[in-house]
Amino acid sequence: MKKINQVNGIPLHYARLTNHPYGTRGEQRDFLIEESFFKVLEQALQEVFENCPLGVPEVITTAGIFVNKPGQHGHGKAFDLDAIFWKDKTLVTMNFVHQKELYLGIESFLRKHFGIVLNYHYPNHKDHWHVDTSVPVDYNENSKSETLYLQLVLKHIYKEEILVDGIWGRQTAGVVKEVFNKLRINTPITTKKNYLQFLEITGKIAFKLCEEQISATHLLDNLTEVIEDLPEQNRITVREAFNSFLDHNDTAQWLNTIKEEHDIDSLIDSFII
Ligand SMILES: [Zn+2]
């Protein structure tokens, strides 16, 4: 076990305290980590930030590495990533709903290094990614967390109509075939080489999408999703207030002037030769 307070020179902070609550930069701390796992973490974050258009961040907050409990945390071989802080931009994992492109870009590269990645849609992981190396990197149709990731990128990055339920079925299989064809990646996805190729190109496309100007209608869609995610007693009031804004004549006129231009196919083409 090794004591660390940074990864690749990026300070590791803790922000789950009354005076440093979740979502803030928190304060730098020492964390115990198993040495071979630390190497994987270094390589993974190196690749994430080499590809991420925002570059190397100033701070990463973690909910913990070595934790005295059963499982990979008990061996110092798991990492919980809460948030990433760049100079002018922050990704808080809890904000998945309106930072999907950046979130899924980062997760695509994390998955190239960690066999287990539990994300926002996985039960009890809305406020952090859990990553560990207890299983090898590959795609398993029975894995709920891998299928959730797959369906999320098919829906939000490749703009396919698909239900995100974590269950591999005929619909998911069909959409995978279609998207892999477009990307000119061989199937099946369960072959490690094909899966790694998919992760790499998906990460790059997601990062490209988060660099593009996001349209006002896309932001309104995000807002609608955030509202639908609220606890019921708040949801109804906020939804009604939002709808009366949308129904206003001036809003409706303004929305009619916005053209949604999103050509994912030509973006894909720019990534494959
Ligand atoms: Zn964890």
Side-chain angles (χ1 to χ4, degrees):
M1 214 73 97
K2 185 184 162 85
K3 202 200 289 183
I4 58 158
N5 64 5
Q6 54 79 31
V7 183
N8 303 334
I10 307 160
L12 277 184
H13 286 205
Y14 186 75
R16 290 192 178 231
L17 300 160
T18 321
N19 53 343
H20 296 290
Y22 178 84
T24 67
R25 288 189 174 218
E27 59 179 14
Q28 194 168 20
R29 280 234 182 141
D30 290 336
F31 298 89
L32 287 175
I33 190 164
E34 194 272 334
E35 288 183 34
S36 67
F37 181 73
F38 184 48
K39 289 215 166 63
V40 179
L41 183 64
E42 284 180 316
Q43 282 162 7
L45 295 184
Q46 179 76 29
E47 193 180 6
V48 167
F49 298 122
E50 266 169 17
N51 283 281
C52 180
L54 297 162
V56 178
E58 294 179 343
V59 166
I60 290 175
T61 53
T62 174
I65 305 173
F66 170 76
V67 184
N68 200 356
K69 65 175 188 190
Q72 295 301 303
H73 280 294
H75 303 289
K77 293 173 77 168
F79 185 81
D80 288 340
L81 201 167
D82 281 359
I84 305 173
F85 297 84
W86 291 269
K87 188 167 176 285
D88 302 312
K89 179 131 182 151
T90 302
L91 173 78
V92 179
T93 48
M94 186 83 111
N95 291 341
F96 168 79
V97 171
H98 59 96
Q99 296 194 293
K100 291 191 194 85
E101 293 81 7
L102 180 57
Y103 187 108
L104 292 170
I106 292 169
E107 181 168 332
S108 299
F109 285 102
L110 291 176
R111 285 188 178 275
K112 291 182 68 188
H113 300 267
F114 302 103
I116 300 272
V117 179
L118 306 180
N119 70 18
Y120 185 86
H121 274 258
Y122 195 84
N124 304 319
H125 286 76
K126 271 194 163 38
D127 62 359
H128 68 282
W129 273 297
H130 165 100
V131 298
D132 74 55
T133 51
S134 59
V135 304
V137 171
D138 61 8
Y139 183 78
N140 184 329
E141 290 166 359
N142 297 319
S143 161
K144 181 176 172 151
S145 59
E146 284 163 10
T147 305
L148 282 172
Y149 160 79
L150 177 65
Q151 292 167 335
L152 285 168
V153 294
L154 292 173
K155 182 171 179 181
H156 299 296
I157 304 302
Y158 296 108
K159 315 293 174 194
E160 297 285 343
E161 295 273 340
I162 188 166
L163 183 71
V164 178
D165 61 2
I167 299 163
W168 176 274
R170 234 187 317 163
Q171 187 190 46
T172 306
V175 177
V176 164
K177 190 120 195 118
E178 186 192 316
V179 170
F180 272 49
N181 273 340
K182 268 194 220 171
L183 297 171
R184 291 182 216 149
I185 301 175
N186 292 330
T187 44
I189 185 177
T190 46
T191 301
K192 185 174 176 180
K193 183 169 174 274
N194 303 340
Y195 182 52
L196 286 178
Q197 239 181 310
F198 177 70
L199 291 176
E200 166 106 23
I201 196 161
T202 302
K204 289 187 169 163
I205 292 174
F207 281 149
K208 189 77 198 162
L209 286 174
C210 77
E211 269 186 304
E212 286 182 358
Q213 183 78 43
I214 294 171
S215 69
T217 42
H218 187 106
L219 295 177
L220 283 175
D221 288 343
N222 287 348
L223 184 54
T224 307
E225 264 189 78
V226 173
I227 293 169
E228 293 311 315
D229 224 26
L230 289 172
E232 197 179 350
Q233 73 270 34
N234 306 336
R235 192 197 314 144
I236 294 161
T237 340
V238 179
R239 189 201 280 149
E240 277 182 21
F242 182 55
N243 282 343
S244 54
F245 164 72
L246 287 181
D247 290 341
H248 191 278
N249 223 355
D250 293 351
T251 321
Q253 277 184 14
W254 164 62
L255 285 175
N256 273 331
T257 64
I258 301 168
K259 277 195 220 81
E260 186 69 74
E261 277 185 57
H262 197 90
D263 189 359
I264 185 69
D265 287 338
S266 59
L267 184 61
I268 290 174
D269 285 341
S270 71
F271 274 91
I272 48 180
I273 307 123

